[in-house]
């Protein structure tokens, strides 16, 4: 336990940079995401499921990549994932990926995929039924709803239709097209937005499960 | 300013207003509204944690546990930790344990309901009676006391709101005199901030240009006696007003309060030890500024005296 009197004795004026301390305090609270995430945090207490290699029960571990961020955007699907060939159809609509209004509030009835669902994220040829599917991914920073369009058994578009996370979903815009490019739920991580990426990943997984 | 979005609402015992000039199509109004909602949400949450007027607040509940460590939220922990750091740096002139003393002086009513929030009388406590364990994120009250975190908590709320609004680039937050000025005004200039004249209602004693910084003023011209010197138990009255410009509203508000209590000489010394700018106005309207170059040191902008 810290003693607040430490270093404050006579003739020993503490050097205390309050500006630096204040900045650290603000960052700490902001990063904790206490505002919009408290309900989600409660739900996820003790369940820090991260979309890190090998940690997710929903996808096999990716191969060693060029770094902690995994393969670069637009690269081939990781080994162990069925390779997808052929032209890549439409990408996501960036405008639709922006933080939306309305939609799924945090704490809404959950449709999130639970752990142990097992391998449903893997796309294999025409395993998916055509249609438009929505999935909800929860995280301790809030919820993301993803919408996938399947045409002729392939994912032709992926969008974030609702963003209720602490940070704007624009931070993970770059990974959204990867769902179409890779025909897979496994997307790159984004430094500083790993929890949002995890929520998006979960949403895609759930949508794909419905399409099976 | 050609076009401007303004929202004002009552929060944390004051009126919080957010203003942003119209900035074309980006961000959209929907995005802007979402950002503003998120920003205001921080005020609600911090008030729920840190208000000593709300019997259900976390800080009020903490006061019911004496002599044992209590796990607290990240918000409450950070606010208490920063408050104690300011107390230490100011030699106790700023003391967050003045809650009970403030109640005794009549500052005991929740601003919306007007309901009194009273505690049981107890022996005087000081900031040294509050112990922290950063590893376990607990607060221990060594004796019965009530924390008054008002200055620091409101500043923190402004800082967090400013972070939420960062995508807007150009905006201001005004929380009852705690200002955050982000970016530029509608003319592309740093925001112009008038420092109230402590003796003339509606007049400014100084006008400065600020961008990307917080401006907070402590004074007793609006609510006499509300800044208490915990060391003497009396209201601080050696200054008429004191304004701090800092990179953080939490820092600016806490330092403005601490330096106001310390008075001209010690207050100026405190501010000069920190990377902030300050303007001190004595009851005789003598103006004193901090040493480092800053908004108060511009030519013709009130460098008129320094405390001896």
């Amino acid at each position: 336990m810290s003693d607040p009197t430490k270093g404050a004795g006579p003739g020993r004026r503490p050097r205390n940079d309050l500006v630096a301390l204040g900045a650290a305090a603000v960052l700490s609270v902001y990063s904790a995401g206490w505002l919009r995430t408290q309900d989600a945090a409660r739900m996820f207490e003790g369940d820090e499921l991260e979309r890190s290699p090998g940690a997710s029960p929903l996808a096999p571990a990716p191969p060693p990549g060029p770094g902690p961020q995994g393969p670069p955007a637009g690269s081939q699907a990781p080994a162990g994932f069925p390779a997808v060939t052929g032209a890549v159809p439409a990408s996501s609509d960036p405008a639709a990926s922006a933080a939306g209004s309305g939609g799924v509030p945090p704490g809404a009835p959950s449709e999130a995929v639970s752990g142990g669902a097992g391998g449903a994220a893997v796309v294999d040829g025409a395993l998916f039924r055509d249609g438009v599917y929505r999935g909800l991914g929860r995280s301790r920073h809030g919820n993301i709803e993803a919408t996938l369009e399947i045409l002729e058994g392939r994912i032709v578009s992926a969008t974030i239709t609702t963003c209720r996370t602490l940070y704007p979903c624009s931070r993970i815009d770059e990974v959204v097209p990867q769902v179409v490019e890779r025909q897979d739920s496994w997307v790159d991580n984004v430094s500083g937005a790993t929890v949002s990426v995890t929520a998006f990943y979960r949403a895609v997984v759930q949508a794909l499960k419905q399409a099976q | 300013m050609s076009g401007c979005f303004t929202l004002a609402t009552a929060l944390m015992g004051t009126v919080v207003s957010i203003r942003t000039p119209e900035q074309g199509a980006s961000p959209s109004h929907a995005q802007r509204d979402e950002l503003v909602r998120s920003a205001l949400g921080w005020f609600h949450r911090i008030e729920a944690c840190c208000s000593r007027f709300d019997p259900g607040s976390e800080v009020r509940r903490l006061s019911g546990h004496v002599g044992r460590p209590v796990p607290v939220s990240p918000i409450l922990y950070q606010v208490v930790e920063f408050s104690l750091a300011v107390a230490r740096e100011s030699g106790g002139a700023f003391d967050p344990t003045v809650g009970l003393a403030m109640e005794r002086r009549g500052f005991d009513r929740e601003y919306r309901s007007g309901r009194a929030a009273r505690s049981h009388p107890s022996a005087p406590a000081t900031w040294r009676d509050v112990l922290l364990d950063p590893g376990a994120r607990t607060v221990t009250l060594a004796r019965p006391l009530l924390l008054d975190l008002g200055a620091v908590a409101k500043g923190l709320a402004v800082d967090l709101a400013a972070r939420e609004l960062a995508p807007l680039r150009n905006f201001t937050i005004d929380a009852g005199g705690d200002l955050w000025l982000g970016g530029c005004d509608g003319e592309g200039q740093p925001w112009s901030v008038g420092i109230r004249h402590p003796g003339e209602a509606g007049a400014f004693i100084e006008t400065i240009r600020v961008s990307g910084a917080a401006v907070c003023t402590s004074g007793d011209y609006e609510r006499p006696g509300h800044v208490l010197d915990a060391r003497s138990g009396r209201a601080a009255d050696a200054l008429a007003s004191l304004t701090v410009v800092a990179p953080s509203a939490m820092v600016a508000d806490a330092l403005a309060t601490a330096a106001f209590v310390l008075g001209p000489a010690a207050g100026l010394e405190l501010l000069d030890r920190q990377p902030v700018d300050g303007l001190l106005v004595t009851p005789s309207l003598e103006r004193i500024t901090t040493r480092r170059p800053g908004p108060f040191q511009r030519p013709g902008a009130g460098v008129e005296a320094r405390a001896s």
Side-chain angles (χ1 to χ4, degrees):
Chain A
M1 185 175 295
S2 65
D3 179 356
T5 65
K6 190 176 179 182
R12 198 177 159 201
R13 186 172 63 78
R15 185 68 192 100
N16 194 359
D17 186 342
L18 294 175
V19 171
L21 188 62
V26 173
L27 187 61
S28 174
V29 173
Y30 192 77
S31 299
W34 194 249
L35 175 61
R36 272 186 279 177
T37 64
Q38 54 181 326
D39 292 336
R42 282 195 203 103
M43 287 188 288
F44 279 82
E45 270 176 12
D47 178 17
E48 289 296 306
L49 176 66
E50 292 298 333
R51 199 196 58 88
S52 57
S56 169
L58 302 170
Q69 301 306 311
S75 65
Q76 293 296 311
F81 285 54
V84 176
T85 58
V88 178
S91 183
S92 64
D93 176 8
S97 298
S101 56
V104 187
S110 169
E111 299 177 290
V113 177
S114 58
V122 179
V123 177
D124 184 10
L127 279 177
F128 300 105
R129 291 176 287 128
D130 288 358
V132 176
Y133 302 92
R134 290 182 178 179
L136 176 66
R138 296 187 304 175
S139 78
R140 58 191 165 89
H141 284 188
N143 302 339
I144 286 177
E145 181 193 69
T147 299
L148 305 183
E149 185 180 358
I150 310 287
L151 189 62
E152 296 180 350
R154 297 176 57 80
I155 307 170
V156 295
S157 76
T159 56
I160 294 175
T161 40
T162 300
C163 177
R164 290 291 184 191
T165 52
L166 174 64
Y167 303 102
C169 278
S170 57
R171 294 191 179 189
I172 62 169
D173 270 351
E174 65 191 273
V175 305
V176 177
Q178 292 172 2
V179 175
V180 177
E181 293 163 2
R182 300 175 182 181
Q183 294 292 299
D184 197 278
S185 61
W186 187 261
V187 293
D188 293 342
N189 243 330
V190 175
S191 179
T194 54
V195 175
S196 293
V197 169
T198 298
F200 174 66
Y201 163 79
R202 288 171 170 155
V204 173
V205 168
Q206 189 192 33
L208 287 178
K209 279 174 67 73
Q210 298 172 60
Q212 282 185 312
Chain B
M1 193 178 300
S2 54
C4 186
F5 165 85
T6 303
L7 181 144
T9 185
L11 287 165
M12 299 188 80
T14 189
V15 175
V16 177
S17 61
I18 292 172
R19 204 159 63 120
T20 180
E22 295 292 350
Q23 300 171 75
S26 179
S28 69
H29 286 184
Q31 289 170 320
R32 180 197 63 198
D33 293 348
E34 181 70 19
L35 292 170
V36 169
R37 269 196 296 273
S38 299
L40 294 178
W42 283 110
F43 284 89
H44 287 292
R45 183 61 197 149
I46 290 176
E47 185 175 34
C49 278
C50 301
S51 171
R52 69 177 170 86
F53 302 105
D54 177 1
S57 72
E58 190 178 8
V59 71
R60 197 90 198 184
R61 285 184 278 120
L62 172 66
S63 69
H65 301 276
V66 178
R68 63 180 180 84
V70 177
V72 298
S73 69
I75 289 175
L76 185 56
Y77 187 87
Q78 293 296 336
V79 170
V80 173
E81 183 181 50
F82 185 78
S83 298
L84 295 180
V86 178
R88 180 167 55 241
E89 188 65 8
S90 66
F94 179 95
D95 192 329
T97 65
V98 296
L100 291 173
M102 294 299 286
E103 282 189 354
R104 284 195 292 270
R105 296 178 68 85
F107 295 98
D108 62 350
R109 292 191 181 269
E110 207 275 337
Y111 69 98
R112 282 173 300 211
S113 65
R115 199 172 51 219
R118 288 272 171 83
S119 306
H120 298 296
S122 62
T126 76
W127 58 280
R128 291 182 172 83
D129 295 313
V130 183
L131 305 173
L132 303 179
D133 183 342
R137 207 174 68 211
T138 60
V139 178
T140 302
L141 306 182
R143 65 172 63 198
L145 60 85
L146 176 61
L147 291 166
D148 181 346
L149 304 170
V152 170
K154 190 169 70 169
L156 176 63
V158 171
D159 289 335
L160 291 163
R163 275 187 164 262
E164 291 287 353
L165 296 174
L168 295 178
R169 294 191 307 279
N170 305 316
F171 62 91
T172 67
I173 304 169
D174 181 353
D178 282 18
L179 300 178
W180 175 264
L181 299 311
C184 300
D185 63 16
E187 279 72 49
Q189 300 296 315
W191 294 94
S192 177
V193 179
I195 310 298
R196 266 185 64 173
H197 194 297
E200 292 179 34
F204 296 140
I205 196 166
E206 182 77 76
T207 301
I208 56 175
R209 289 278 183 177
V210 179
S211 177
V215 181
C216 296
T217 297
S218 238
D220 65 353
Y221 43 84
E222 219 165 54
R223 285 193 298 161
H226 85 285
V227 184
L228 189 68
D229 185 343
R231 300 165 304 178
S232 66
R234 292 196 296 268
D237 58 3
L239 286 166
S241 80
L242 189 148
T243 299
V244 173
V245 179
S248 150
M250 184 169 68
V251 172
D253 196 330
L255 282 176
T257 304
F260 185 86
V261 171
L262 286 168
L268 185 63
E269 186 188 335
L270 170 67
L271 298 182
D272 274 334
R273 289 203 301 269
Q274 302 292 332
V276 301
D277 303 292
L279 171 68
L280 298 75
V281 181
T282 68
S284 61
L285 300 183
E286 180 187 19
R287 295 190 286 188
I288 306 166
T289 63
T290 45
R291 195 178 302 276
R292 72 179 206 147
F296 298 116
Q297 298 282 15
R298 291 180 298 107
V303 186
E304 300 194 353
R306 287 188 60 81
S308 55

